[in-house]
Amino acid sequence: MTTQIVESVLAEAEKQDAKKVTEVHLTIGKLTFLGIEQVRFAYRILVEDTIMKGSKLIIKEKSGVIECPSCGYKGTLETEDNPMYHVPTPILKCPECGEAAKIVEGKECTIERIRMVK
Amino acid sequence: MTNLKEVVKAEEETFDIEPGMDILKVNKKLALKNRELLRKHKVKAIDVMGSIGAGKTSLIEKLVQALKKKYRIAVFKGDLTTTIDAERIGCHGVEVVAINTGRECHLDANLVARAVEKIRLEDIDLLFIENVGNLICPAEFPLGTEKRVVVVSVTEGPYMVVKHPFSFMDADVAVINKKDLAKVMKVDTKKLEMEVKEIKPDVKVVVTNALKGEGVEELVDALGL
């Protein structure tokens, strides 16, 4: 995934004839499987020997949002902290009516902004 | 000697662009394309995900046996390098395309689109896609199938549902396999079922013993086949 991010940024920079990329702003949904720590780690390695070397990676997290097709409820996805396993479990049950809700936000990994030097 | 005192350089220009590009959307878009193509040919496709050794191939073998008179079936079998499973399924007289990912831990919509090119969609009604054995990454990459099945087995221990909640969020059917070993493994399949339903209330849960074919009929029902 991080390879794809870096390749996409490099492609955009090439289109703009940029000499250097100085900042990359990402939004990562909390319902993706991307670990921010790992993305940062891979990013540092992948940008070596590219015009992105030394660039700042700014990551904004986006919460999950669910919508209930039965009652129309829309809100942030609840997670249940299970003290027994120490894991937050996402709950796709509508908190209003208990029916199955759909995920509408939180599954994205978007390159929002790239700052570069020409 | 020259009189040159200063050099005026064109200033470096710093600027921002806002691509707003969703990296995961590339796969999602391709998945939609796959879905449209499959729909056009009236092919029902089912993505089967789950850990290595959960029993995905055994279940598909049993599903093929149960359904091959009713449907013309093809199977895509994702694996890193081998075609062992593909050959196993091929023994049942259905068309199998092996997708070797090399190193990738999941199938993606692009690999499936390439596999689709290898078969004649006119000649099939039902397509099973067995994902690479992995309970995590495949869930991030929809392939364009109508339904997604997650297979877990009691030998993976009592906590695999709560440990991998994200894998069930996009599932339509969850299979709890190897029910014959539940007692030895001290795993309560009812509890696992409740945990799956807690994450996604509309998921259908089927408990099976794939080797013996137990629960396969219920699975066929749950898949609407």
Side-chain angles (χ1 to χ4, degrees):
Chain A
M1 281 295 300
T2 314
T3 309
Q4 274 188 54
I5 294 167
V6 171
E7 278 173 3
S8 307
V9 172
L10 286 173
E12 290 296 324
E14 199 180 326
K15 267 191 239 165
Q16 306 288 337
D17 283 326
K19 263 198 313 208
K20 202 152 182 49
V21 171
T22 54
E23 273 177 33
V24 175
H25 295 251
L26 287 184
T27 299
I28 295 182
K30 283 188 181 169
L31 299 181
T32 65
F33 292 15
L34 286 162
I36 289 186
E37 199 67 42
Q38 283 160 309
V39 170
R40 286 191 184 285
F41 180 67
Y43 185 90
R44 287 286 153 248
I45 295 165
L46 291 164
V47 298
E48 281 288 323
D49 305 322
T50 75
I51 58 163
M52 288 168 73
K53 190 177 175 177
S55 61
K56 231 197 233 171
L57 176 64
I58 297 113
I59 299 176
K60 203 170 82 189
E61 274 195 285
K62 194 171 175 183
S63 295
V65 175
I66 53 167
E67 202 173 88
C68 177
S70 305
C71 73
Y73 167 87
K74 191 175 176 181
T76 341
L77 178 101
E78 299 286 320
T79 58
E80 195 174 72
D81 266 314
N82 192 327
M84 198 171 147
Y85 313 128
H86 302 286
V87 280
T89 311
I91 309 289
L92 286 183
K93 197 191 265 180
C94 173
E96 297 284 324
C97 70
E99 290 293 313
K102 298 252 172 297
I103 298 167
V104 288
E105 273 174 41
K107 295 197 84 171
E108 50 286 280
C109 169
T110 312
I111 304 172
E112 302 286 359
R113 194 144 56 92
I114 308 167
R115 176 161 290 180
M116 40 191 130
V117 179
K118 214 180 230 176
Chain B
M1 283 290 277
T2 66
N3 292 328
L4 183 68
K5 284 184 180 159
E6 270 184 89
V7 177
V8 177
K9 259 192 189 170
E11 221 178 294
E12 284 188 335
E13 184 197 349
T14 300
F15 64 105
D16 290 358
I17 61 160
E18 295 183 1
M21 180 198 293
D22 187 343
I23 299 287
L24 286 166
K25 220 175 214 162
V26 179
N27 183 70
K28 284 176 205 149
K29 271 191 189 155
L30 271 174
L32 277 178
K33 248 177 139 178
N34 287 347
R35 181 174 289 202
E36 274 165 30
L37 183 68
L38 292 164
R39 253 196 210 146
K40 205 175 102 191
H41 289 90
K42 298 193 172 63
V43 176
K44 282 187 181 190
I46 294 162
D47 180 3
V48 183
M49 307 177 282
S51 304
I52 302 167
K56 299 182 294 302
T57 311
S58 298
L59 268 175
I60 291 176
E61 285 185 277
K62 286 291 187 290
L63 284 167
V64 165
Q65 283 172 352
L67 294 165
K68 70 177 175 188
K69 281 196 185 134
K70 192 171 171 191
Y71 299 100
R72 296 169 301 166
I73 306 174
V75 180
F76 292 169
K77 170 64 194 120
D79 254 319
L80 298 197
T81 53
T82 70
T83 54
I84 298 168
D85 291 353
E87 281 157 29
R88 258 172 74 186
I89 300 166
C91 291
H92 300 282
V94 290
E95 193 170 358
V96 183
V97 179
I99 307 176
N100 280 348
T101 60
R103 273 172 294 186
E104 288 292 329
C105 55
H106 56 269
L107 292 180
D108 59 40
N110 180 46
L111 285 170
V112 168
R114 283 176 51 202
V116 165
E117 287 169 12
K118 306 269 183 216
I119 55 169
R120 275 176 55 87
L121 289 175
E122 296 81 4
D123 296 342
I124 63 161
D125 321 296
L126 180 59
L127 171 66
F128 289 109
I129 305 177
E130 184 179 338
N131 223 307
V132 179
N134 177 351
L135 192 55
I136 305 172
C137 312
E140 183 96 299
F141 298 89
L143 307 176
T145 58
E146 206 171 283
K147 288 208 159 72
R148 305 189 91 187
V149 181
V150 176
V151 183
V152 295
S153 61
V154 300
T155 48
E156 290 156 44
Y159 311 118
M160 85 287 244
V161 174
V162 287
K163 278 182 180 171
H164 297 279
F166 288 98
S167 304
F168 297 89
M169 290 199 320
D170 274 333
D172 301 288
V173 178
V175 176
I176 301 169
N177 193 25
K178 306 185 191 173
K179 66 170 179 177
D180 51 315
L181 299 176
K183 220 175 188 173
V184 200
M185 290 302 299
K186 297 193 177 80
V187 172
D188 181 358
T189 55
K190 282 265 173 299
K191 187 165 173 277
L192 288 180
E193 187 172 340
M194 268 165 49
E195 285 165 351
V196 174
K197 293 259 185 195
E198 188 66 26
I199 296 163
K200 194 163 187 275
D202 59 346
V203 74
K204 291 179 182 158
V205 181
V206 184
V207 183
T208 60
N209 171 356
L211 284 184
K212 291 223 164 126
E214 290 164 13
V216 171
E217 231 171 273
E218 288 85 344
L219 179 57
V220 168
D221 275 348
L223 291 169
L225 295 171

